[in-house]
């Protein structure tokens, strides 16, 4: 908001209206000139600050992209290693499970053979006993 210089009435009476008006106009012109120069300087400083800020933002974005890319690569490799280790553990467990299942199967066959052999011998004995009993 511009401020217009104004002098007291005594100043006008002492030096006259022409000189005093000229002095007031000169003060106002100087004030306007300084205000315009200050505005231009502020605009230039703002533009420089904006350019510097834009450059720094671009640098930070580039750094973040680089960091995120390397972090993503590192995470990807870490996940792949973890998945490979987990896959190896699952394969090992599966192999152990298959071996245990074969062992149980063999045990079941062995015990079934023993059971059926014993049952067959017992039935043969009962059959011999009944045949002997019926012959007498």
């Amino acid at each position: 908001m511009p401020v217009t210089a104004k002098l007291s009435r005594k100043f006008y009476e002492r030096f006259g209206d022409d000189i005093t008006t000229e002095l007031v106009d000169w003060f106002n012109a100087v004030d306007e000139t300084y205000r315009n120069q200050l505005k231009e300087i502020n605009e230039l400083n703002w533009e420089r600050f904006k350019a510097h800020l834009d450059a720094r933002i671009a640098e930070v974005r580039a750094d973040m992209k680089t960091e995120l890319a390397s972090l993503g690569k590192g995470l990807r490799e870490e996940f792949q290693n973890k998945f490979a280790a987990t896959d190896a553990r699952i394969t090992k467990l599966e192999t152990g499970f298959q071996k245990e299942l074969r062992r149980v199967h063999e045990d079941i066959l062995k015990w079934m053979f023993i059971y059926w052999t014993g049952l067959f011998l017992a039935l043969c004995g009962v059959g011999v006993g009944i045949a002997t009993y019926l012959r007498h």
Side-chain angles (χ1 to χ4, degrees), residues 103-119:
R103 190 190 62 74
V104 168
H105 185 260
E106 289 169 359
D107 283 350
I108 288 172
L109 285 175
K110 177 180 70 173
W111 287 108
M112 282 177 62
F113 179 75
I114 292 170
Y115 169 77
W116 286 112
T117 304
L119 183 64

Side-chain angles (χ1 to χ4, degrees), residues 34-87:
Y34 284 151
R35 213 176 306 128
N36 287 337
Q37 286 177 353
L38 182 62
K39 183 179 175 183
E40 288 174 12
I41 289 171
N42 281 340
E43 286 175 359
L44 286 173
N45 283 337
W46 172 248
E47 291 302 320
R48 269 191 279 169
F49 173 75
K50 245 174 61 175
H52 180 70
L53 184 63
D54 289 342
R56 290 294 293 149
I57 288 172
E59 287 177 21
V60 168
R61 283 184 177 162
D63 289 347
M64 285 179 63
K65 283 181 182 177
T66 303
E67 288 295 321
L68 287 175
S70 68
L71 179 64
K73 183 180 179 183
L75 284 175
R76 192 176 314 114
E77 289 174 358
E78 186 176 337
F79 279 130
Q80 286 174 345
N81 291 341
K82 293 285 185 185
F83 288 142
T86 304
D87 190 41

